[in-house]
């Protein structure tokens, strides 16, 4: 029982981290969330994040379902090391791309329009995010890098994994909109660039940390 509890704590921690890692980079929806928070108010920005979160969760569920089919094969053939190694490298490249990118190029300056309903704002964010199925590869890289493979012996672990990812994503969008709402009077493109570089730097650091642990067989992040 004690081992099972520790396992669930590990799953929750990694799920939260993956939810944040996948949501944090300033892609089109991230920029849209910032814009709406500044121009329409925090709740409009937050429901934009919720819309993106719901779309991400669909792809997370697909990835988790795939993991359940391949986990035994990975363990049986000793491929976990290579999977983690590839995941670390892919996520590190993603972090470098995020650090070097300029998300403000995706910003559109236009005349003021109607706010629309909260549902409409969330729906548009959902559709924009859902139109990018490449997010599956980011989930795959994150799962591989953090050895996030729920046990097939405990179906409940998949539910816990899914909910942990959802909570991590929601925590990110809640925190981002809270910060932007507090400083929006002085927030500009430079602020978005700074956030993006910090996020990219953190992703690179985590990738290098886990890559080091993988190569030297040191348990890092669980």
């Amino acid at each position: 029982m004690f081992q099972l509890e520790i396992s669930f704590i590990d799953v929750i921690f990694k799920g939260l981290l993956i939810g944040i890692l996948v949501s944090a980079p300033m892609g089109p929806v991230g920029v849209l969330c910032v814009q709406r928070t500044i121009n329409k108010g925090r709740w409009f920005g937050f429901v934009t994040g919720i819309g993106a979160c719901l779309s991400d969760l669909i792809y997370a569920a697909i990835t988790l379902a795939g993991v359940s089919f391949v986990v035994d094969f990975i363990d049986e053939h000793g491929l976990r090391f290579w999977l983690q190694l590839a995941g670390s490298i892919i996520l590190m490249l993603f972090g470098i791309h995020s650090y070097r990118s300029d998300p403000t190029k995706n910003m559109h300056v236009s005349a003021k329009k109607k706010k629309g309903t909260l549902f409409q704002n969330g729906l548009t964010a959902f559709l924009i995010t859902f139109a990018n199925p490449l997010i599956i590869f980011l989930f795959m890289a994150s799962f591989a890098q953090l050895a996030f493979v729920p046990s097939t012996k405990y179906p409940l672990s998949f539910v816990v994994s899914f909910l942990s990812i959802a909570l991590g994503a929601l925590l990110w969008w809640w925190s981002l909109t809270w910060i932007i709402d507090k400083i929006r009077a002085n927030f500009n493109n430079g602020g978005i660039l700074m956030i993006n570089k910090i996020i990219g730097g953190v992703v690179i650091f985590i990738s290098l940390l886990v890559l080091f642990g993988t190569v030297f067989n040191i348990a890092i992040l669980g």
Side-chain angles (χ1 to χ4, degrees):
M1 175 62 74
F2 178 75
Q3 182 62 38
L4 179 58
E5 290 175 354
I6 294 299
S7 177
F8 274 118
I9 291 174
D10 183 62
V11 167
I12 292 171
F13 172 73
K14 291 181 179 179
L16 288 171
L17 184 57
I18 289 172
I20 294 172
L21 283 175
V22 172
S23 302
M26 281 288 150
V29 175
V31 174
L32 186 63
C33 176
V34 171
Q35 284 183 297
R36 286 177 173 174
T37 302
I38 293 173
N39 299 325
K40 299 181 180 182
R42 184 186 176 189
W43 285 111
F44 286 90
F46 184 55
V47 296
T48 298
I50 292 176
C53 175
L54 291 175
S55 176
D56 287 343
L57 288 178
I58 293 176
Y59 289 122
I62 294 172
T63 309
L64 279 173
V67 167
S68 67
F69 285 108
V70 302
V71 62
D72 293 333
F73 178 85
I74 290 172
D75 287 336
E76 182 180 348
H77 293 80
L79 298 177
R80 188 176 291 247
F81 169 82
W82 298 106
L83 189 64
Q84 286 184 252
L85 187 66
S88 299
I89 294 173
I90 291 172
L91 206 56
M92 181 173 61
L93 292 175
F94 177 80
I96 293 172
H97 171 74
S98 179
Y99 182 87
R100 299 182 61 184
S101 64
D102 182 2
T104 60
K105 291 180 180 179
N106 297 318
M107 296 184 70
H108 303 285
V109 180
S110 59
K112 288 187 177 180
K113 298 181 180 180
K114 292 182 180 179
K115 286 185 175 182
T117 65
L118 291 174
F119 176 78
Q120 289 171 336
N121 281 260
L123 179 61
T124 54
F126 173 87
L127 294 175
I128 291 172
T129 308
F130 193 70
N132 180 25
L134 293 178
I135 193 72
I136 287 181
F137 293 101
L138 182 54
F139 273 117
M140 290 174 64
S142 301
F143 288 178
Q145 185 191 47
L146 297 178
F148 188 72
V149 184
S151 173
T152 55
K153 297 180 181 179
Y154 305 106
L156 182 60
S157 66
F158 286 91
V159 177
V160 174
S161 301
F162 186 81
L163 294 178
S164 298
I165 293 171
L167 182 58
L170 289 175
L171 282 174
W172 166 256
W173 294 116
W174 178 267
S175 301
L176 177 65
T177 54
W178 182 83
I179 293 172
I180 300 302
D181 185 59
K182 293 297 182 183
I183 63 174
R184 62 179 174 175
N186 300 312
F187 199 82
N188 52 29
N189 289 8
I192 294 178
L193 284 171
M194 180 182 69
I195 290 176
N196 201 55
K197 287 189 178 297
I198 291 174
I199 293 168
V202 169
V203 173
I204 293 171
F205 175 76
I206 293 175
S207 300
L208 290 173
L209 189 66
V210 180
L211 180 62
F212 177 85
T214 299
V215 172
F216 293 98
N217 195 28
I218 301 173
I220 296 177
L221 299 178

